[in-house]
């Protein structure tokens, strides 16, 4: 019986010169894979084969017997063998995780260390079609999306799974034909574990409705994998198209279909959160996209997502930068991500937006040289146009629900007096009257291509107001 072909190895990225390190437990699946890979080595389909066994020290003498069995089997085949062991219970307790997760963490850590030490190109595991069917059902029970229902892939990084198209029954028949013994782990029959309940109870029950249930579920996983790969490529393309100035154009992302948009955000979050992403993280960032500029949400691992004008940004949000610089009418300047232009005008000009203002300098002696731009400070007070007294600027922002980004816009001041709060209004003192002679028109807009880099055209003292 020939179960493993050169084509099935090629689907895992295994070629003639590939050196494989096999994770050998001693159970039927890994023993069958060892023999199949040994045959592949003899046929010249692979370049090298080694085996590694990790003793979890959970089953006493039985675990030691499994290790000895694996060593003897590799010796009989003339294959390099590596053994390792670890205290799974102590590791689980120290890292506050379940024993199953702790065992997997220690096992794969050992296998990766051995792979590097022996110069292998990949690590082979004996996951087969039944394991694939179980994985799909487990993810379905947990409410997984399409990516989870794709199950395991023939290759994930350095991990290869050449047996995903082969059933456990086929592997057992192969071993029986060869008269090859194997080890049996009694814990695999313990239905206290969810996977074992799926294996021994759910799959047999489903087979009463469909005798080929394992094949059917594996076929479903394969079809979904192809769809997921296609949607993933669209999402990556959408993300690259939206990339600008260290952020992502949120309107471009919002214009994408939901399945593509959510996958694009998932890619972003995986990079920002080192792969530790939950469905709720994607939903929260998706809900952020249409919010007001300046809106910021907390993520995990000390990271944030925020709207910097037209851009979505993820990472560690920089603190507001204190700045102070002069302003000369007729000369534009950029500061802290904002572009400011002031010009002299002959008469009152109606502002086109709250980010623009027309004001009189007559009360300042008509001297534009006294004007400057600065960041807001604690305790700033402002007397708005038409108001009889001054107010704390922080209270104004709170009452108006001013977005955080807009609160960082540069204030136009003369000395300590605030003359214009972008997004709001000018001070009563600089109201333009019919008799006003020295009038300027000022425009403040976001300059997203310049992020807190200081002023161009004027000297800027960033940090001077700290």
């Amino acid at each position: 019986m020939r179960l493993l072909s050169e084509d099935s190895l090629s689907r895992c990225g295994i070629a003639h010169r590939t050196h494989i390190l096999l994770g050998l437990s001693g159970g039927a699946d890994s023993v069958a894979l060892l023999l199949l890979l040994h045959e592949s080595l003899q046929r010249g389909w692979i370049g090298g084969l080694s085996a590694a066994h990790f003793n979890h020290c959970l089953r006493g003498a039985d675990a030691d017997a499994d290790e000895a069995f694996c060593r003897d089997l590799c010796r009989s085949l003339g294959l390099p063998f590596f053994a390792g062991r670890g205290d799974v219970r102590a590791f689980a307790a120290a890292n506050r995780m379940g024993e199953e997760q702790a065992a997997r963490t220690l096992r794969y850590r050992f296998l990766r260390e051995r792979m590097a030490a022996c110069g292998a190109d990949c690590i082979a595991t004996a996951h087969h079609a039944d394991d694939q069917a179980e994985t799909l059902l487990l993810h379905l029970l947990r409410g997984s999306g399409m990516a989870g229902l794709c199950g395991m892939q023939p290759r994930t990084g350095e991990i290869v799974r050449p047996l995903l198209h082969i059933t456990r029954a086929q592997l057992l028949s192969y071993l029986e034909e060869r008269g090859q013994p194997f080890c049996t782990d009694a814990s695999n029959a313990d239905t206290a574990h969810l996977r074992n309940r799926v294996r021994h109870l759910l799959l047999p029950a489903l087979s009463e409705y469909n005798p080929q249930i394992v094949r059917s579920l594996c076929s479903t996983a394969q079809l979904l994998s192809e769809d997921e790969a296609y949607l993933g490529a669209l999402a990556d393309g959408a993300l690259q198209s939206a990339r600008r100035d260290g952020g992502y154009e949120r309107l471009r992302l919002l214009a994408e279909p939901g399945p593509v948009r959510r996958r694009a955000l998932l890619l972003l979050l995986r990079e920002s959160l080192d792969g530790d992403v939950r469905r709720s993280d994607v939903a929260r960032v998706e809900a952020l996209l249409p919010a007001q500029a300046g809106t910021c949400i907390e993520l995990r691992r000390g990271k944030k997502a925020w709207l910097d004008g037209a851009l979505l940004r993820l990472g560690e949000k920089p603190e507001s930068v204190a700045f102070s610089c002069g302003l000369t009418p007729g000369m534009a300047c950029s500061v802290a991500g904002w572009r400011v232009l002031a010009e002299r005008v002959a008469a009152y000009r109606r502002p086109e937006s709250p980010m623009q203002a027309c004001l009189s300098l007559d009360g300042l002696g008509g001297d534009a040289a006294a004007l400057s731009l600065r960041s807001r400070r604690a305790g700033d007070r402002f007397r708005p146009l038409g108001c009889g007294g001054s107010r704390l600027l922080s209270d104004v922002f709170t009452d108006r629900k001013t977005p955080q980004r807009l609160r960082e816009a540069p204030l136009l001041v003369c000395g300590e007096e605030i003359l214009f709060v972008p997004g709001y209004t000018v001070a009563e003192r600089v109201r333009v009257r019919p008799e006003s002679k020295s009038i300027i028109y000022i425009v403040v807009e976001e300059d997203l291509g310049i992020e807190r880099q200081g002023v161009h055209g004027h000297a800027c003292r960033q940090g001077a107001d700290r």
Side-chain angles (χ1 to χ4, degrees), residues 219-271:
S219 176
T220 296
Q222 176 60 34
L223 291 171
L224 291 176
S225 292
E226 294 172 6
D227 291 348
E228 179 65 23
Y230 175 71
L231 288 170
L234 291 180
D236 184 64
L239 204 58
Q240 298 311 316
S241 297
R243 191 189 299 271
R244 182 164 68 86
D245 300 326
Y248 299 85
E249 294 182 73
R250 53 182 175 135
L251 291 182
R252 277 181 175 263
L253 294 174
L254 276 170
E256 295 291 343
V260 175
R261 179 172 59 250
R262 286 187 286 274
R263 282 169 172 80
L265 294 177
L266 178 61
L267 292 173
L268 268 180
L269 285 163
R270 280 177 175 163
E271 181 179 349

Side-chain angles (χ1 to χ4, degrees), residues 124-443:
T125 65
H127 294 106
H128 47 69
D130 293 63
D131 293 321
Q132 181 76 307
E134 293 165 13
T135 299
L136 187 150
L137 288 173
L138 284 167
H139 289 172
L140 183 63
L141 291 171
R142 291 166 181 157
S144 174
M146 186 185 290
L149 298 181
C150 293
M152 296 175 282
Q153 300 303 302
R155 181 162 192 147
T156 307
E158 72 272 27
I159 307 298
V160 297
R161 306 176 181 89
L163 302 182
L164 286 182
H165 62 294
I166 302 172
T167 65
R168 180 170 172 79
Q170 289 176 296
L171 294 175
L172 291 173
S173 295
Y174 170 77
L175 293 174
E176 185 178 359
E177 284 184 10
R178 292 184 56 115
Q180 174 63 54
F182 52 85
C183 304
T184 301
D185 184 348
S187 66
N188 289 332
D190 184 3
T191 54
H193 301 293
L194 179 58
R195 180 176 283 274
N196 286 346
R197 291 202 297 278
V198 169
R199 176 179 302 164
H200 299 298
L201 302 176
L202 182 55
L203 268 177
L206 292 175
S207 67
E208 295 180 10
Y209 298 90
N210 178 1
Q212 297 298 316
I213 187 63
V214 169
R215 292 294 187 193
S216 296
L217 290 173
C218 288
S219 176
T220 296
Q222 176 60 34
L223 291 171
L224 291 176
S225 292
E226 294 172 6
D227 291 348
E228 179 65 23
Y230 175 71
L231 288 170
L234 291 180
D236 184 64
L239 204 58
Q240 298 311 316
S241 297
R243 191 189 299 271
R244 182 164 68 86
D245 300 326
Y248 299 85
E249 294 182 73
R250 53 182 175 135
L251 291 182
R252 277 181 175 263
L253 294 174
L254 276 170
E256 295 291 343
V260 175
R261 179 172 59 250
R262 286 187 286 274
R263 282 169 172 80
L265 294 177
L266 178 61
L267 292 173
L268 268 180
L269 285 163
R270 280 177 175 163
E271 181 179 349
S272 180
L273 300 179
D274 299 324
D276 181 19
V277 183
R278 302 167 190 171
R279 185 181 300 175
S280 59
D281 297 324
V282 176
R284 292 178 64 225
V285 176
E286 186 178 24
L288 174 67
L289 291 176
Q292 285 187 317
T295 305
C296 178
I297 62 172
E298 297 280 347
L299 301 173
R300 284 170 291 109
R301 298 177 177 265
K303 303 297 178 64
K304 298 179 180 180
W306 70 98
L307 300 180
D308 188 357
L311 300 184
L312 167 70
R313 299 188 186 277
L314 280 80
E316 296 181 0
K317 191 173 187 298
E319 296 296 329
S320 298
V321 177
F323 58 86
S324 175
C325 58
L327 178 67
T328 301
M331 188 171 184
C333 69
S334 295
V335 58
W338 297 90
R339 178 180 171 83
V340 184
L341 176 63
E343 60 177 330
R344 292 188 179 274
V345 293
Y348 177 77
R349 181 191 299 175
R350 186 178 184 85
E352 297 178 4
S353 81
M355 300 301 289
Q356 302 179 16
C358 193
L359 49 97
S360 169
L361 304 183
D362 289 10
L364 307 176
D367 184 11
L371 300 177
S372 63
L373 300 169
R374 68 165 172 83
S375 54
R376 65 189 177 101
R377 303 169 181 166
D380 270 341
R381 301 190 70 87
F382 178 58
R383 184 186 176 189
L385 187 69
C387 185
S390 66
R391 298 187 63 199
L392 279 171
L393 188 55
S394 58
D395 290 345
V396 172
F397 285 152
T398 299
D399 292 346
R400 295 176 57 82
K401 297 182 172 58
T402 304
Q404 182 61 37
R405 176 60 177 155
L406 198 52
R407 300 184 188 204
E408 296 172 358
L411 303 173
L412 179 68
V413 300
C414 178
E416 295 300 313
E417 184 179 4
I418 299 173
L419 305 180
F420 173 45
V421 178
Y424 182 29
T425 188
V426 297
E428 175 63 28
R429 184 181 179 190
V430 291
R431 176 197 292 268
V432 178
R433 304 177 187 279
E435 65 273 17
S436 296
K437 298 185 181 303
S438 180
I439 306 172
I440 65 168
Y441 191 85
I442 185 169
V443 177

